[in-house]
């Protein structure tokens, strides 16, 4: 016998849970089906940096909206998301200075608190930083990072309080259709009925899309992070840094650790089977990321490596998500492919996906930019830097 819902969401990552919360708030009967545990995909392993440095208005607005939700999480959602305000700096090479300035102007226009910093001002905010190769930096005092596991579980709990049902250990293995319209999904244990199904399966998004015969250009790509313990005298948290010159990002982690990852377009080449890849960090990665970190933050020369891990990005050709009805007029929607920068956008995405599913619209968050057809139309989302991840 099948249980019946208004909407079935496949995947309990930040996107699935934030959307479930928004839909439940609107009074819809929602089920989230998750093949593992809540946050088992990219979300639980996210570096969860919350910055607003984007080069198109929509993503900048989404980042600003979402930052405010993370900052006021207890009132807006309920529970804890572990938001820690450290400030954020973006460092670019001289050739990208114009782009940086244009981005900062755009961000200020949409209401983001951000400014250009001279190398001297940067050194004041972050003692010990190497700034000799910099012409300018962008600074966001309000940004920081969150605890992704806490955040996604708090969203799930908030959705549950509003009546949503979350089924863990429940893998969707087929999608049911009748007369061109979706009618529900199959799992190994039972079927679930609904006239609307949303694919929030992250790195598995293409696989789930294939269940309805659609080819979504989303690759599961293996990415790594490493941790280093800061030396005596530098235990206090430093700002979050996106260093486009050394193609790294780093942020403080509890226990005087610094977490380092790459901002490297080549990460799109590491396509793997999302159900069978090494989750251990490679020793070469620890060495390489550590060296890059030391070049920007020389005090880390005296740090100790404390390991790391590998996880998955869901990367699309333009490093931006697909938020759309995948098969027109079918009730089968997709919200996936966040390409390594989706966590920070989760609250806004939940709002946008809920609007899309209920036929509502919030004009400042029109998801048209993320339509599926943009790839066929050769009209991808374009960023201002060659590093597409900065959007
Ligand atoms: C190492 C790392 C660092 C990152 N750092 C940042 C950062 O600093 N800032 C930032 O904004 N973003 C960051 N990201 C990206 C961000 O984490 C992701 O964009 C975001 O978490 C994607 O969320 P999601 O809900 O789309 O996907 P996921 O969290 O992957 O959720 C998809 C879920 O679907 C489930 N699923 C899949 N197939 C099925 C099925 N058939 N049936 C049922 N369930 C299914 C999976 O088990 C999974 O739980 C990072 C990601 C990684 C891996």
């Amino acid at each position: 016998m099948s249980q019946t819902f208004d909407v079935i969401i496949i995947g309990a990552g930040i996107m699935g849970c934030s959307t479930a919360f928004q839909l439940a708030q609107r009074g819809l009967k929602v089920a989230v089906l998750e093949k593992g545990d809540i946050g088992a995909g990219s979300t639980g392993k996210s570096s969860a940096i919350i910055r607003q440095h984007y080069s198109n208005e929509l993503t900048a607005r989404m980042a600003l909206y979402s930052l405010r939700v993370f900052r006021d999480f207890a009132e807006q959602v309920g529970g804890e998301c572990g938001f820690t305000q450290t400030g954020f700096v973006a460092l670019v090479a001289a050739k990208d200075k114009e782009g940086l300035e244009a981005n900062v102007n755009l961000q200020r226009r949409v209401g983001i608190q951000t400014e250009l910093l001279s190398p001297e001002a940067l050194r004041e905010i972050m003692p010990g930083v190497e700034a000799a190769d910099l012409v300018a930096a962008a600074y966001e005092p309000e940004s920081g990072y969150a605890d992704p596991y806490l955040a996604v579980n708090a969203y799930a709990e908030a959705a549950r309080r509003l009546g949503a049902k979350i089924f863990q250990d429940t893998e969707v293995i087929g999608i049911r259709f009748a007369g061109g319209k979706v009618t529900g999904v199959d799992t190994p244990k039972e079927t679930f009925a609904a006239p609307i199904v949303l694919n929030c399966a992250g790195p598995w998004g293409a696989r789930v899309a294939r269940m309805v015969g659609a080819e979504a250009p989303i690759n599961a790509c293996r990415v790594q992070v490493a941790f280093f313990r800061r030396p005596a005298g530098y235990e206090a948290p430093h700002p979050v840094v996106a260093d486009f010159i050394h193609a790294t990002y780093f942020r403080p982690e509890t226990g005087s650790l610094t977490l380092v990852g790459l901002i490297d377009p080549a990460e799109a080449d590491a396509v793997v089977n999302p159900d069978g890849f090494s989750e251990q960090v490679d020793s070469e990665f620890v060495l390489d990321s550590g060296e890059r970190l030391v070049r920007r933050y020389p005090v880390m020369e005296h740090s100790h490596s404390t390991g790391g891990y590998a996880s998955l990005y869901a990367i699309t050709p333009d490093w931006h998500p697909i938020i759309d009805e995948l098969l027109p007029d079918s009730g089968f929607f997709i919200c996936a492919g966040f390409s390594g920068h989706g966590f920070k956008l989760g609250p806004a995405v939940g709002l946008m996906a809920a609007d899309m599913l209920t036929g509502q619209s919030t004009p400042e968050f029109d998801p048209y930019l993320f339509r599926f057809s943009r790839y066929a139309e050769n009209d991808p989302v374009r960023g201002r830097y060659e590093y597409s991840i900065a959007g």
Side-chain angles (χ1 to χ4, degrees):
M1 217 182 69
S2 65
Q3 306 189 47
T4 302
F5 295 89
D6 296 323
V7 177
I8 290 169
I9 297 174
I10 305 172
I14 190 76
M15 305 310 168
C17 292
S18 158
T19 305
F21 170 66
Q22 288 282 343
L23 289 170
Q25 263 188 331
R26 296 175 196 200
L28 276 84
K29 197 175 165 199
V30 184
V32 182
L33 309 186
E34 164 57 52
K35 73 185 179 74
D37 307 322
I38 293 165
S42 301
T43 299
K45 295 282 173 58
S46 183
S47 305
I49 289 169
I50 295 171
R51 47 94 184 168
Q52 304 156 91
H53 193 83
Y54 276 101
S55 62
N56 69 65
E57 279 201 33
L58 176 61
T59 38
R61 273 199 298 271
M62 290 164 71
L64 171 62
Y65 170 92
S66 299
L67 169 73
R68 288 179 177 156
V69 174
F70 285 120
R71 192 190 57 195
D72 303 330
F73 202 79
E75 299 86 67
Q76 300 242 12
V77 180
E80 289 284 328
C81 74
F83 178 66
T84 308
Q85 183 180 342
T86 55
F88 165 83
V89 289
L91 313 178
V92 301
K95 71 176 170 56
D96 282 325
K97 182 170 181 255
E98 242 173 68
L100 183 81
E101 286 171 1
N103 283 351
V104 166
N105 287 338
L106 175 147
Q107 290 151 15
R108 290 168 74 103
R109 258 200 324 276
V110 305
I112 292 168
Q113 202 182 320
T114 181
E115 62 191 284
L116 291 169
L117 282 186
S118 65
E120 298 73 45
L122 174 65
R123 282 191 206 98
E124 268 173 42
I125 286 171
M126 189 173 176
V129 69
E130 173 56 58
D133 57 340
L134 298 174
V135 179
Y139 178 54
E140 297 168 10
E142 294 188 312
S143 295
Y145 65 93
D147 180 324
Y149 195 72
L150 275 184
V152 70
N153 275 284
Y155 260 119
E157 199 44 49
R160 274 195 194 111
R161 276 196 302 275
L162 293 163
K165 298 266 186 281
I166 300 186
F167 299 84
Q168 303 183 71
D169 237 335
T170 304
E171 178 169 7
V172 171
I173 53 172
I175 316 282
R176 293 190 169 225
F177 273 84
K181 306 271 186 201
V182 74
T183 58
V185 304
D186 292 323
T187 73
K189 291 178 218 149
E190 56 183 314
T191 57
F192 292 80
I196 295 175
V197 173
L198 177 66
N199 171 359
C200 282
W204 295 263
R207 188 178 290 181
V208 171
R210 237 169 266 134
M211 292 178 191
V212 303
E215 280 304 322
I218 301 172
N219 281 326
C221 300
R222 179 175 178 267
V223 295
Q224 303 178 70
V225 299
F227 295 94
F228 298 90
R229 192 176 305 287
R230 292 193 293 283
Y234 289 91
E235 291 92 346
H238 51 75
V240 173
V241 177
D243 179 357
F244 290 103
I245 298 168
H246 297 122
T248 51
Y249 68 82
F250 55 97
R251 71 150 170 90
E253 174 59 269
T254 43
S256 298
L257 298 181
T258 291
L259 175 163
V260 191
L262 298 187
I263 321 171
D264 185 350
E267 291 193 306
D269 300 335
V271 180
V272 293
N273 171 358
D275 290 320
F277 67 98
S278 165
E279 294 187 43
Q280 289 189 349
V281 71
D282 305 339
S283 50
E284 300 81 41
F285 179 88
V286 175
L287 214 64
D288 176 44
S289 61
E291 280 172 11
R292 294 179 198 222
L293 173 65
V294 167
R295 267 181 255 150
R296 178 57 62 211
Y297 197 31
V299 303
M300 296 303 281
E301 197 164 356
H302 307 293
S303 67
H304 297 281
S305 155
T306 61
Y309 54 79
S311 185
L312 298 169
Y313 283 176
I315 301 185
T316 65
D318 59 2
W319 290 72
H320 282 277
I322 306 170
I323 304 177
D324 205 347
E325 191 167 20
L326 196 58
L327 302 178
D329 221 16
S330 66
F332 186 80
F333 293 80
I334 185 165
C335 178
F338 284 85
S339 305
H341 60 106
F343 177 81
K344 72 178 70 59
L345 306 174
V349 171
L351 175 75
M352 290 162 75
D355 276 356
M356 173 172 76
L357 267 41
T358 56
Q360 290 169 285
S361 87
T362 307
E364 66 269 36
F365 296 122
D366 184 344
Y368 179 76
L369 190 70
F370 303 133
R371 70 197 179 285
F372 178 43
S373 64
R374 72 184 188 271
Y375 300 113
E377 294 157 4
N378 197 20
D379 186 22
V381 180
R382 291 181 175 86
R384 212 182 287 273
Y385 305 125
E386 59 193 88
Y387 301 105
S388 320
I389 196 168

